[in-house]
Amino acid sequence: MTLTNKDLDIKITNAEFERFRDFFYRKTGIRFEDSKRYFVDKRLVDRVKKTGAHSFRDYFTAMRFQASGAELQELINIMTVNETYFFREAHQFDCMVEELLDEIVTTQQKKELKIWSIPSSTGEEPYSIAIYLMERWPSIERVDIELMSSDIDSSVLEKAKAGIFNERSVQNLGPSLKKKYFTKTEHGLYQATDDLRSCVHFSKVNLNEQKDMQKYRDIDLIFCRNVLIYFDDVSRRNAAEALYDALAPGGFIFLGHSESMSRISSLFKVRKFKEALAYQKPIA
């Protein structure tokens, strides 16, 4: 009888786990703590079996030297967490339309603004931004907005572009907004309208890759929420510097409620608005 790799009991040694953890950290800036070992091992073993490799060592070697990088992208997709919903931490959206954008337009006399949501996850955040702008910001009629959203995970980007959401994702939207910006599918899901989906340009970006980040400059407002908590101190500082370079002078960044730029970098000025805290790149 011939055994296939699906019949093999794939084990990952401590040394192999360390090698993978270091490799994944170098590629993404994300470091897995020991407490995540079961989570990581389970997903790695699954990929070993699905690719037909007979050991983790064979799989790891093939993955690292694969010219296309497709298997590394598969790993990134299954190892990153994508949990979100519409109007999450809505006080920051309130701040955006009630104070922050008006300040930028008034003080800098801008007629065009760039807003960037990273990570995009499955699209709830960038589409929330678009809805807020169209519903709550009067100046949308006279200011052009370029709304971009990026993620390291290619699979969630495809979901974001498709714009199909379950009931939990849209639970914070009132009936009128659901009716205006979504159509109900035959499976009871919510499909974002063509007009809403056309508001956002999606792209794959790794915060830890300099060549990715160099493409983004002169951004007026960045939403970078609940991602830096997965980085270690070095990666957080590198990401903060990359985000600083991406901002236009006088531009702002929002972080997640448990994150603090003040503990990461001294480059930014802390700004306390009525609804939320933001971090500003000083105007030279």
Side-chain angles (χ1 to χ4, degrees), residues 57-276:
R57 180 178 179 180
D58 291 344
Y59 167 80
F60 189 52
T61 300
M63 182 266 293
R64 284 186 300 141
F65 293 102
Q66 184 184 42
S68 68
E71 183 55 30
L72 172 59
Q73 186 61 56
E74 285 289 339
L75 275 179
I76 289 171
N77 292 355
I78 64 173
M79 293 292 181
T80 49
V81 178
N82 296 286
E83 176 70 18
T84 186
Y85 47 86
F86 278 83
F87 291 4
R88 184 180 187 181
E89 297 185 41
H91 61 285
Q92 292 180 336
F93 300 134
D94 292 333
C95 178
M96 173 183 70
V97 296
E98 292 177 10
E99 298 179 89
L100 192 147
L101 292 184
D102 286 331
E103 176 179 313
I104 294 175
V105 171
T106 301
T107 60
Q108 301 184 45
Q109 298 297 303
K110 286 199 172 189
K111 295 184 178 179
E112 297 179 357
L113 293 175
K114 291 182 180 180
I115 300 176
W116 190 20
S117 166
I118 179 171
S120 71
S121 187
T122 43
E124 286 89 339
E125 178 170 283
Y127 290 133
S128 292
I129 295 170
I131 292 172
Y132 253 80
L133 290 171
M134 291 186 285
E135 293 290 319
R136 299 271 305 276
W137 196 46
S139 296
I140 193 71
E141 299 296 332
R142 59 184 178 84
V143 178
D144 290 331
I145 298 286
E146 182 179 359
L147 179 53
M148 303 166 288
S149 191
S150 307
D151 205 289
I152 194 174
D153 185 336
S154 59
S155 64
V156 299
L157 283 170
E158 291 306 310
K159 292 178 182 178
K161 292 174 185 177
I164 299 175
F165 305 96
N166 59 27
E167 186 69 50
R168 183 185 180 281
S169 288
V170 300
Q171 63 184 333
N172 290 337
L173 300 179
S176 61
L177 292 180
K178 289 179 185 177
K179 183 177 181 180
K180 184 174 182 179
Y181 292 104
F182 300 86
T183 56
K184 202 78 174 285
T185 73
E186 58 181 310
H187 302 294
L189 300 174
Y190 293 83
Q191 167 82 65
T193 62
D194 291 344
D195 286 345
L196 180 57
R197 284 185 286 136
S198 69
C199 291
V200 187
H201 172 70
F202 291 98
S203 61
K204 189 168 83 70
V205 170
N206 183 345
L207 260 174
N208 204 45
E209 280 286 350
Q210 188 177 15
K211 69 178 189 305
D212 286 358
M213 295 298 291
Q214 285 177 337
K215 301 173 186 175
Y216 294 85
R217 290 292 183 269
D218 297 320
I219 312 296
D220 295 291
L221 174 59
I222 298 175
F223 284 82
C224 185
R225 309 193 297 182
N226 306 310
V227 64
L228 298 182
I229 54 175
Y230 298 105
F231 292 178
D232 70 353
D233 289 343
V234 173
S235 294
R236 272 194 287 268
R237 283 195 297 272
N238 290 339
E241 290 173 5
L243 292 167
Y244 181 88
D245 290 340
L247 282 172
F252 293 87
I253 183 168
F254 283 125
L255 298 182
H257 71 277
S258 63
E259 300 168 314
S260 171
M261 188 64 80
S262 301
R263 294 198 294 265
I264 302 170
S265 171
S266 59
L267 292 171
F268 298 84
K269 178 182 179 181
V270 181
R271 291 291 307 279
K272 293 182 179 179
F273 292 95
K274 181 178 64 176
E275 298 290 344

Side-chain angles (χ1 to χ4, degrees), residues 23-73:
F23 169 80
F24 198 80
Y25 170 70
R26 291 195 304 273
K27 291 295 184 180
T28 67
I30 298 171
R31 177 173 290 280
F32 296 114
E33 301 299 329
D34 290 338
S35 60
K36 297 287 186 182
R37 176 71 188 268
Y38 175 78
F39 166 89
V40 174
D41 278 14
K42 189 173 184 296
R43 283 155 180 76
L44 283 175
V45 169
D46 183 60
R47 290 309 303 166
V48 171
K49 292 184 175 182
K50 284 186 176 178
T51 57
H54 283 77
S55 68
F56 175 77
R57 180 178 179 180
D58 291 344
Y59 167 80
F60 189 52
T61 300
M63 182 266 293
R64 284 186 300 141
F65 293 102
Q66 184 184 42
S68 68
E71 183 55 30
L72 172 59
Q73 186 61 56

